[in-house]
């Protein structure tokens, strides 16, 4: 039976989960895969954490050199996170020909070109299923099952923290701040939640997924990004009344010779499959030119779901002679001829506060009319005792730049202010 030695760098939530899976399923993999997967080494500065997991003392390395020079280690699993130490250690492993499996989306989004070059030089593998959508095998689905398709669109809920917060706001009527606090208490959000709530985490994942789906480099810097920190519970409630659910969406499209990649909150019809993806769950809904529509759904984070994706990569690497690399030129930047669409099309929801007087609505509709923005739904409610009214408008599909221009024109009116603008996915 083939013996394959694994090293794990970092025994936090994901590294610890990977250790548990590999050790608890050892016999199962021997039986089903005909391989003896053995955790030969771990590198974890907090040795007590390693001991608590039951790692034998002699397998706790003291430094990265001990790991990468260990001839019994074939595959190095990186679960450190961040891009400083992780990048250095991953390069050290690849440079001596060890295959690397990582869950680090920031590292892959920023440095996959450099890491892949190092891997190719040494005929080593570089696998990163766990970097995107945790336990949901979206990368393998794109690279294997859907490889015969042109991927046309991909719309995903690919950040569990923000989905938990938005679900809480919608279901319990909490404010953003209250829902964030609850997410932090339950361990769904970090003490410093910026990477999740400002959409960086989703943007890194989308850059990786879009590059794989469209077979061309889509740098994370090209992803249009807006987070959820400005969202107000009134908008979620108004959207609900109109039959919409608010989600932080990651959207990638390839059409008319251009690529569109964006992460922002958006309303989806409450009957859309993505609307029912609640709490910390994730899903990716995609369209291929042959297969049509497909949705993958599951846990996007957590020790065992993310560990499941890592171990899937470890087994793939252990059972395939040839490593698999990108199908595109994996440079730091996009190819010169790749066109990125920034004036994308969408429908829009707008909430305005206006003076409740004659002629106000017609001034606003004429601003829309001049920009060829057509309204689909309008409703108004009186704000008691203020002489003001709330106006909620949903438009038909139009251009982002037309809406921005209309918003700045409305903001300049003395009798109206724009409280919120949200995109609506038809
Ligand atoms: N913070 C991430 C999320 C973890 O909420 O999805 C997995 O990338």
């Amino acid at each position: 039976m083939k013996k394959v030695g694994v090293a794990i760098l970092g025994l936090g939530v994901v590294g610890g989960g990977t250790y548990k899976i590999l050790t608890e399923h050892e016999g199962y993999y021997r039986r089903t895969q005909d391989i003896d997967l053995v955790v030969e080494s771990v590198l974890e500065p907090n040795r007590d954490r390693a001991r608590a997991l039951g790692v034998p003392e002699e397998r706790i390395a003291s430094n990265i050199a001990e790991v990468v020079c260990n001839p019994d280690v074939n595959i190095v699993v990186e679960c450190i996170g961040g891009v400083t130490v992780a990048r250095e250690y991953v390069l050290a492993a690849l440079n001596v020909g060890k295959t690397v499996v990582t869950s680090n989306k920031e590292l892959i989004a920023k440095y996959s070109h450099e890491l892949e070059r190092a891997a190719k030089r040494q005929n080593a593998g570089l696998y990163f299923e766990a970097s995107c959508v945790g336990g949901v095998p979206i990368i393998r689905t794109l690279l294997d099952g859907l490889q015969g398709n042109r991927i046309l669109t991909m719309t995903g809920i690919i950040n569990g923290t923000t989905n938990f917060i938005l679900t809480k706001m919608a279901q319990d009527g909490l404010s953003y701040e209250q829902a964030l606090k609850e997410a932090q208490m339950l361990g769904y959000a970090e003490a410093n939640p910026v990477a999740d709530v400002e959409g960086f985490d989703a943007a890194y994942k989308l850059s990786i997924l879009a590059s794989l789906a469209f077979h061309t480099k889509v740098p994370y810097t090209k992803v249009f990004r807006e987070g959820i920190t400005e969202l107000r519970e009134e908008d979620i409630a108004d959207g609900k009344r109109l039959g919409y659910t608010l989600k932080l969406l990651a959207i990638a499209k390839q059409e008319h010779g251009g690529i569109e990649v964006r992460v922002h909150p958006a309303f989806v019809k409450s009957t859309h499959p993505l609307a029912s993806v609640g709490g910390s769950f994730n899903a990716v809904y995609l369209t291929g030119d042959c297969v049509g529509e497909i949705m993958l759904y599951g846990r996007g984070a957590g020790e065992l779901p993310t560990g499941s994706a890592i171990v899937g990569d470890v087994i793939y690497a252990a059972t395939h002679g040839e490593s698999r690399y990108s199908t595109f030129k994996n440079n730091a930047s996009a190819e010169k001829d790749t066109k990125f669409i920034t004036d994308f099309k969408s429908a829009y929801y707008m909430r305005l506060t206006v003076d409740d007087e004659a002629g106000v609505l017609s001034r606003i509709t004429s601003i829309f009319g001049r920009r060829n923005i057509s309204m689909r739904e309008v409703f108004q409610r009186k704000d008691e005792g203020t002489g003001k009214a709330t106006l909620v408008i949903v438009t038909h599909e139009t251009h982002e730049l037309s809406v921005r221009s209309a918003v700045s024109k409305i903001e300049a009116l003395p009798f109206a202010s724009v409280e919120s603008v949200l995109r609506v996915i038809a």
Side-chain angles (χ1 to χ4, degrees), residues 105 131 133-134 158-162 188 190 196 201 205 282 300-301:
K105 69 225 75 157
S131 67
V133 207
I158 60 176
N159 181 271
T161 305
T162 48
Y188 288 122
E190 310 266 349
D196 291 314
D201 176 86
K205 291 169 182 165
N282 282 193

Side-chain angles (χ1 to χ4, degrees), residues 60 69 89 101 121 156 176 178 196 259 300 344 358 366 384 423:
I60 309 175
C69 296
Y89 288 5
V101 173
R121 261 197 312 267
Y176 164 73
Q178 290 166 326
D196 291 314
I259 287 177
F344 49 82
S366 81
E384 290 305 332
R423 297 167 191 91

Side-chain angles (χ1 to χ4, degrees), residues 66-107:
E66 261 181 45
V67 176
V68 300
C69 296
N70 184 341
D72 294 329
V73 170
N74 308 96
I75 299 173
V76 174
V77 174
E78 184 273 311
C79 302
I80 300 168
V83 291
T84 314
V85 175
R87 179 181 173 205
E88 185 195 324
Y89 288 5
V90 165
L91 279 172
L94 293 171
N95 284 337
V96 295
K98 311 278 188 205
T99 280
V100 168
V101 173
T102 178
S103 57
N104 191 329
K105 69 225 75 157
E106 185 178 359
L107 184 70

